[in-house]
Amino acid sequence: MPDTIKLEEKKLKVIGTRPVRPDGVPKVTGLARYGADYSLPGMLWGKILRSPHAHARIRSIDTSQAQALPGVKAVMTSADLPEQKFEYVGPERVAVNFWHMTRNIMAREKVLYEGHAVAAVAAISSTVADEALRLIKVDYEVLPHVIDVDEAMRPDAPLLFADMITRGVEPAPGKPSNISKRIELKIGDLEAGFAAADEIVEMDFKTAPVHQGYIEPQGCLARFDTDGQGEIWASSQGHFVVRAFTAQLLEMNIGNLLVHPAEIGGGFGGKTVIYIEPVAAVLSRKTGHPVKIVMSREDVFMATGPTSGAAMTVKIGVKKDGKIVAADGLFKFQAGAFPGSPVMNACMCSFAPYDIPNVRSVGYDVVCNRPKSAAYRAPGSPISAFAVESVIDVAAARIGMDPLQFRLKNSAKVGTPTVWGPKHAHDSYAATIQALLKHPGYTAPLGKNQGRGVASGFWFNNGGESSATAHVNEDGTVVVATGSPDIGGSRASMALMAAETLGIDYDKVRPIVADTASIGYTHVTGGSRVTFASGIAVIEACKKVIGELRARAAMTWDVDVDDVIWEEGHARPAGKNMGRFEPLSLKAIAAKKAVTGGPISASASVNAGGVAPGFASELCDVEVDPETGGVKILRFVAAQDVGRAIHPSYVEGQIQGGVAQGIGWALNEEYIYDQAGRLLNAGFLDYRIPVASDLPMIEAVLVEVPNPNHPFGVKGAGEVNIVPSMAAVANAVSHAIGRRMTELPMSPPKVLVALDSGRGD
């Protein structure tokens, strides 16, 4: 069992235990229903025609032959989606633009990447739908394209949008470019900071776009009634967001659209947006039949959001005693075909683990002819951490200081200012470093061609809007409903927190994920927010239930409710009535609910604040084959501040999963395009995610520093684990071969090039 470091203890009954997950049996028996598993009588199959070009103007689309094909019930193009206003809606870091979104769902004036949706059909079978797609004639004017972020920023680069003027630059530049936005965050005096440094390290880095790699492709089923009422069953991390976005794009009242959450076969941020749901909805509304659309694996890679590729420059100045006095980061992120890369997050997270008096982060959001980027586990932070933590490693070596001690000396503490303004309010980063310093793996001997790397990372974690209900059944069991799709064991976490609050056994709680009409608004499962925010909603609902249970007991005993307390799942007389009555269990009160006031239930909706960020520090040992350039991971230890682990097994699983994805990102994964801008590896055969034989036993060290702003000390634990992983692997590989690796992935050919450069010395 992985180590657990507890910095604070609190007596708890069920939280911290490891019960079986409530959704485990249907998943292992194949009975769980995912997006592609839903069917309805009279259902049609929807298929989408996608662009073969990276960049082309659409002169015309002729759908007449497809519409005439027997078995085809409807054809749609962008003309079936109302035009949207051009504006950014919502907070800056997560703003959406529906003008862009509707064009990503279905191309209008131009196609902007290979795989861009152009038209769609609904037919009586998948075979007929495929034939219909072949009959749609699209007249394209092929245009020059641009794939790489540095090339896209050149003044003479092909423009995706002829009128895009860079936001965030004052005064605004008059000439259009592919730069959607410039960001600059800073504190202190950068020039003075570097002037005071004894050593300055400056390096350039490059990363490739990588996909979230979820196993289940997007799938949905839509149906509409003649009165305009619609339903969607979708594989998504946020069915309320599916409802809101689809209703907006179809100009529907939100209340007329009901969205059911299917089980989800992985998301990692990639299913927080929509692609096929509005298409299925339009086709269903046109035909009067239910319509199912399921993406192929090739569709997923070509047309859903990978995370950004990036080009970065990081400069750090240090004193001989190990104090970092200045840091400067330039982060250029690919947004894909439409603005919205996570470059803001990269700028904010890049130096966040450290107490540095003079810092600047500059970011560029750059469009290029790739699929629009989407969130991927702590979006933006792993990319910038790769660059920053590599320079940190070099700086530590430059002054002859142990890399973990160097990080510890400069670790952020309570009161340390951040580059975006607020001061750190939590002090747990140092504990993750100390966990690695104490780990025997850190001082274990290394062999020939082996290297050891360490790195650290930061993620905000989120709170926000969540709702929950708790219903007490007559047999004393409790149904707890939330609006949070379960992608990481949150059903178990909700049941554990409900059981702890109510003082009953875990197996007496049945957690469910409710549809958009059965629960209050709940934001997406993402940002490591669910156990924190939805957990607070569950706790609040259970507290309201306890208030009602006390009232029912007071009625039974004919005493004032203030003379009844709730302890260990029982109502007990207190005050002047202490000892006068036998305690009443929840089950006993529930059995008589019909004669004491009726159903016992409560709801709670919260906009949860008080979020505590996540910190992680990781240790990686590798061995490099000097003949092939292949990298073998020998050891990986991940220490993470997890707040309090509600279900330790799932927290460990989150850490191990994030590290596994980071290893793939570091060593193998990348989108590979040909000269025409066509994706060459749109499938798991050629896009190589790690398999079991590629990975070591990943050891998770749970550092528990409870969040005082949550009843049970919760901090989000699902994302920060991936942030340091690529840097830890890169630092280890660099030490193993004696050459600094600055480009991801560190595939065998790239490692061989680095080795050969050394052999020539």
Side-chain angles (χ1 to χ4, degrees):
M1 183 181 298
D3 293 335
T4 299
I5 298 174
K6 294 181 180 289
L7 300 187
E8 181 182 320
E9 293 286 353
K10 181 179 179 181
K11 187 177 180 181
L12 297 168
K13 180 182 177 183
V14 294
I15 284 177
T17 61
R18 301 170 183 258
V20 173
R21 64 188 302 157
D23 53 320
V25 171
K27 285 181 175 174
V28 300
T29 57
L31 297 178
R33 302 183 73 189
Y34 294 86
D37 291 331
Y38 289 89
S39 298
L40 287 171
M43 185 185 79
L44 303 175
W45 285 90
K47 289 290 182 79
I48 297 174
L49 180 68
R50 300 186 180 278
S51 167
H53 305 294
H55 194 195
R57 184 170 288 106
I58 300 174
R59 291 195 181 106
S60 65
I61 303 176
D62 182 356
T63 64
S64 58
Q65 293 184 50
Q67 288 174 317
L69 182 70
V72 172
K73 301 300 181 181
V75 179
M76 75 164 285
T77 66
S78 63
D80 294 291
L81 291 170
E83 181 62 285
Q84 299 291 316
K85 184 178 180 181
F86 187 98
E87 64 178 347
Y88 289 90
V89 180
E92 181 68 21
R93 195 160 65 90
V94 290
V96 298
N97 187 321
F98 289 104
W99 191 92
H100 291 144
M101 187 182 295
T102 195
R103 282 163 172 76
N104 195 40
I105 298 296
M106 194 68 69
R108 287 183 184 257
E109 303 85 3
K110 295 197 296 183
V111 293
L112 297 173
Y113 53 94
E114 184 202 18
H116 199 165
V118 175
V121 302
I124 59 174
S125 71
S126 178
T127 302
V128 173
D130 284 333
E131 185 178 353
L133 292 185
R134 291 191 288 270
L135 295 175
I136 297 174
K137 307 301 181 184
V138 184
D139 182 12
Y140 293 106
E141 177 191 350
V142 178
L143 302 171
H145 68 278
V146 62
I147 295 290
D148 179 77
V149 66
D150 286 317
E151 292 178 4
M153 293 178 71
R154 291 168 58 94
D156 58 348
L159 294 180
L160 276 69
F161 302 97
D163 57 352
M164 180 177 283
I165 302 298
T166 306
R167 294 182 296 144
V169 176
E170 297 295 341
K175 185 178 180 182
S177 75
N178 291 318
I179 303 171
S180 166
K181 183 178 180 182
R182 182 186 185 274
I183 301 157
E184 181 171 344
L185 306 171
K186 60 182 178 180
I187 55 174
D189 185 335
L190 204 65
E191 185 176 342
F194 281 114
D198 295 316
E199 295 283 353
I200 296 175
V201 179
E202 183 173 5
M203 300 171 64
D204 298 324
F205 299 89
K206 200 96 168 178
T207 70
V210 299
H211 201 271
Q212 297 86 353
Y214 37 81
I215 300 303
E216 178 208 17
Q218 276 88 344
C220 75
L221 172 66
R223 63 167 292 276
F224 272 78
D225 294 324
T226 54
D227 62 358
Q229 301 279 327
E231 286 184 272
I232 294 176
W233 290 259
S235 167
S236 168
Q237 292 177 236
H239 47 302
F240 284 88
V241 169
V242 170
R243 180 183 68 167
F245 287 177
T246 303
Q248 172 72 29
L249 296 183
L250 272 63
E251 292 187 341
M252 294 178 62
N253 292 329
I254 287 178
N256 287 340
L257 186 59
L258 170 61
V259 181
H260 303 269
E263 289 291 350
I264 180 170
F268 313 109
K271 291 181 181 175
T272 58
V273 290
I274 57 173
Y275 298 102
I276 56 176
E277 293 84 357
V279 177
V282 167
L283 291 171
S284 178
R285 197 161 61 173
K286 291 184 75 169
T287 63
H289 288 267
V291 174
K292 178 192 284 191
I293 298 179
V294 180
M295 297 185 94
S296 68
R297 182 65 60 193
E298 186 178 47
D299 289 343
V300 170
F301 274 107
M302 292 172 60
T304 71
T307 193
S308 303
M312 301 170 285
T313 301
V314 171
K315 178 181 177 182
I316 289 179
V318 300
K319 303 287 285 184
K320 290 179 180 178
D321 66 358
K323 178 59 183 172
I324 303 175
V325 291
D328 194 12
L330 172 62
F331 307 101
K332 298 174 286 187
F333 273 43
Q334 297 167 347
F338 299 94
S341 76
V343 70
M344 172 70 85
N345 294 345
C347 289
M348 295 167 75
C349 294
S350 54
F351 302 109
Y354 302 107
D355 183 359
I356 308 173
N358 309 291
V359 181
R360 180 177 65 175
S361 288
V362 175
Y364 289 92
D365 183 55
V366 184
V367 296
C368 54
N369 296 114
R370 297 175 178 266
K372 175 172 168 36
S373 67
Y376 182 15
R377 213 166 192 155
S381 187
I383 300 170
S384 60
F386 163 61
V388 170
E389 292 295 308
S390 296
V391 175
I392 290 280
D393 196 63
V394 173
R398 186 78 61 86
I399 62 172
M401 193 169 182
D402 176 272
L404 283 181
Q405 294 291 353
F406 183 61
R407 288 169 170 82
L408 186 62
K409 182 179 182 67
N410 292 285
S411 60
K413 302 172 180 62
V414 172
T416 297
T418 64
V419 74
W420 67 94
K423 294 180 179 180
H424 281 289
H426 297 269
D427 191 10
S428 58
Y429 171 44
T432 68
I433 302 173
Q434 290 161 346
L436 292 187
L437 284 168
K438 295 174 184 176
H439 194 280
Y442 190 55
T443 54
L446 292 169
K448 186 179 180 182
N449 300 319
Q450 294 179 357
R452 175 167 296 141
V454 296
S456 297
F458 168 91
W459 180 243
F460 311 97
N461 294 331
N462 288 329
E465 298 170 279
S466 283
S467 299
T469 63
H471 307 283
V472 179
N473 299 316
E474 51 269 32
D475 63 354
T477 58
V478 178
V479 175
V480 171
T482 71
S484 296
D486 183 355
I487 63 172
S490 60
R491 285 187 184 93
S493 296
M494 298 304 115
L496 283 163
M497 286 185 280
E500 191 72 58
T501 304
L502 294 168
I504 60 178
D505 292 336
Y506 169 83
D507 61 5
K508 297 294 191 251
V509 180
R510 175 65 176 173
I512 65 170
V513 182
D515 62 53
T516 56
S518 303
I519 197 78
Y521 179 83
T522 301
H523 197 46
V524 297
T525 298
S528 299
R529 62 169 293 278
V530 169
T531 304
F532 176 79
S534 293
I536 291 175
V538 166
I539 293 164
E540 290 302 311
C542 288
K543 286 180 177 178
K544 291 180 180 179
V545 165
I546 288 172
E548 185 61 28
L549 292 167
R550 291 173 55 234
R552 302 298 176 93
M555 180 185 299
T556 301
W557 293 330
D558 193 22
V559 301
D560 191 274
V561 70
D562 291 336
D563 291 329
V564 180
I565 62 172
W566 189 263
E567 287 183 346
E568 297 180 351
H570 290 74
R572 302 179 188 275
K576 61 181 180 294
N577 295 304
M578 186 177 296
R580 286 186 59 196
F581 308 102
E582 288 296 317
L584 288 173
S585 67
L586 184 150
K587 182 176 181 180
I589 297 171
K592 296 183 178 181
K593 64 182 177 63
V595 296
T596 59
I600 302 173
S601 65
S603 299
S605 294
V606 302
N607 190 6
V611 176
F615 292 99
S617 296
E618 296 175 354
L619 160 69
C620 176
D621 288 352
V622 303
E623 183 174 306
V624 178
D625 186 330
E627 301 301 321
T628 67
V631 176
K632 181 180 181 181
I633 308 290
L634 304 176
R635 173 187 284 116
F636 210 107
V637 182
Q640 179 177 323
D641 167 29
V642 300
R644 177 172 279 112
I646 301 299
H647 192 303
S649 293
Y650 298 149
V651 175
E652 292 157 8
Q654 288 291 321
I655 293 172
Q656 291 159 345
V659 168
Q661 290 178 315
I663 289 172
W665 198 338
L667 296 180
N668 301 109
E669 297 183 40
E670 63 178 321
Y671 271 37
I672 301 173
Y673 286 90
D674 66 12
Q675 292 298 314
R678 292 187 293 260
L679 184 61
L680 299 178
N681 60 334
F684 284 142
L685 191 62
D686 298 307
Y687 181 92
R688 196 174 182 284
I689 64 172
V691 296
S693 58
D694 296 317
L695 298 170
M697 295 300 292
I698 298 166
E699 182 178 352
V701 180
L702 309 187
V703 179
E704 293 195 294
V705 185
N707 177 8
N709 300 318
H710 188 278
F712 297 125
V714 168
K715 297 177 183 176
E719 292 177 274
V720 73
N721 35 71
I722 198 175
V723 176
S725 300
M726 294 110 72
V729 176
N731 289 339
V733 171
S734 298
H735 292 312
I737 67 174
R739 290 289 183 274
R740 177 55 53 176
M741 300 299 294
T742 60
E743 183 176 343
L744 299 183
M746 295 173 289
S747 56
K750 293 177 185 174
V751 175
L752 274 180
V753 168
L755 283 166
D756 288 342
S757 69
R759 291 174 181 138
D761 289 350

